[in-house]
């Protein structure tokens, strides 16, 4: 909750309530011919009531706004949608491939390079569609936006898919070398070296 916004809004609402209430109250009291002392007591009692009402209304407003945007997660003061993997997994479970891909693409546009989404794409291509070449194409295209462990993971999966599924040792070797060059201390480095050693010898030009 944005407390600064709450305070400012509360003050503004309190002032509005105070002036509107005072105008109506004074009009009623003057119409009834009440003495000045009664009017002063009214003003003294109505001022704190206006402040309390303003704060409560502002708090309710802020809370309602936050809940109505429950699918948002603020970052540096800028709201952004929360990553929703459950919908993607639900589509995959029900074999709703088009809906799953649409949900994946929407989330990826909002969170390019997200590691959890990266793995959902892989599950979509490999496990759901049985299209490892689609996973390879996607991973290769997205390498530039990946960072850190997610980038290393993509390199590892590209190497494995090329080696074990597509039976293409040369691209597999390329991605192994990429991982070992960029992330020599990665927890995946040992597994990558083992995969590299298992590949057939590199063909030399005649």
């Amino acid at each position: 909750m944005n407390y600064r916004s709450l305070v400012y809004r509360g003050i503004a609402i309190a002032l509005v309530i105070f002036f509107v209430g005072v105008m109506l109250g004074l009009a009623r009291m003057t119409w009834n011919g009440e003495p000045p002392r009664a009017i002063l007591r009214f003003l003294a009692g109505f001022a704190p009531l206006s402040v309390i009402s303003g704060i409560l209304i502002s708090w309710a407003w802020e809370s309602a706004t936050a809940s109505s945007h429950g699918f948002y997660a603020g970052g540096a003061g800028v709201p952004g949608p929360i990553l929703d993997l459950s919908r993607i997994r639900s589509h995959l479970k029900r074999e709703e491939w088009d809906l799953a891909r649409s949900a994946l693409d929407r989330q990826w546009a909002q969170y390019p390079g997200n590691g959890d989404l990266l793995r959902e794409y892989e599950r979509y291509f490999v496990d759901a569609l049985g299209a490892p070449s689609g996973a390879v194409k996607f991973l290769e295209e997205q390498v530039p936006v990946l960072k850190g462990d997610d980038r290393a993971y993509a390199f590892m999966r590209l190497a494995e898919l090329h080696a074990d599924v597509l039976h293409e040792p040369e691209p597999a070797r390329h991605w192994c070398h990429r991982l070992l060059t960029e992330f020599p201390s990665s927890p995946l480095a040992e597994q990558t070296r083992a995969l590299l050693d298992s590949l057939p010898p590199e063909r030399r030009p005649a």
Side-chain angles (χ1 to χ4, degrees):
M1 183 176 290
N2 189 334
Y3 290 100
R4 180 177 294 180
S5 173
L6 187 150
V7 170
Y8 290 158
R9 188 182 294 122
I11 293 172
I13 294 172
L15 289 173
V16 171
I17 292 173
F18 180 79
F19 285 116
V20 172
V22 164
M23 290 174 65
L24 294 175
L26 288 177
R28 182 184 63 81
M29 295 176 78
T30 302
W31 180 266
N32 294 335
E34 296 188 34
R37 183 172 294 178
I39 295 175
L40 291 175
R41 284 201 303 270
F42 167 76
L43 293 175
F46 194 75
L49 180 62
S50 301
V51 173
I52 293 171
S53 300
I55 292 174
L56 289 176
I57 293 172
S58 178
W59 177 82
W61 187 342
E62 191 82 12
S63 298
T65 302
S67 62
S68 67
H69 293 80
F71 55 93
Y72 286 105
V78 179
I82 286 178
L83 182 64
D84 183 9
L85 299 178
S86 60
R87 181 174 301 180
I88 295 168
R89 290 167 181 169
S90 177
H91 288 317
L92 290 174
K93 185 176 181 180
R94 295 197 296 264
E95 299 185 357
E96 298 168 343
W97 310 133
D98 291 342
L99 292 175
R101 182 60 191 267
S102 295
L104 279 166
D105 290 345
R106 283 196 303 272
Q107 293 279 283
W108 190 261
Q110 294 157 356
Y111 292 95
N114 180 276
D116 291 328
L117 277 175
L118 189 73
R119 287 157 179 78
E120 292 302 320
Y121 266 108
E122 185 184 354
R123 187 173 294 114
Y124 166 78
F125 282 114
V126 178
D127 298 337
L129 298 188
S133 59
V136 165
K137 183 175 185 293
F138 176 79
L139 290 171
E140 289 179 344
E141 289 175 348
Q142 301 306 323
V143 160
V145 303
L146 301 176
K147 295 181 174 65
D149 292 341
D150 295 326
R151 187 177 173 91
Y153 173 82
F155 289 166
M156 183 68 217
R157 289 301 292 136
L158 282 166
E160 289 177 333
L161 288 169
H162 277 295
D164 302 331
V165 182
L166 301 179
H167 306 292
E168 298 172 343
E170 296 308 315
R173 186 175 288 107
H174 165 78
W175 293 111
C176 285
H177 286 307
R178 283 284 299 271
L179 192 153
L180 295 174
T181 300
E182 294 188 29
F183 305 98
S185 301
S186 169
L188 298 174
E190 183 176 351
Q191 183 180 350
T192 302
R193 292 188 185 94
L195 175 59
L196 191 58
D197 291 341
S198 71
L199 295 174
E202 186 174 3
R203 284 179 291 183
R204 301 290 182 182

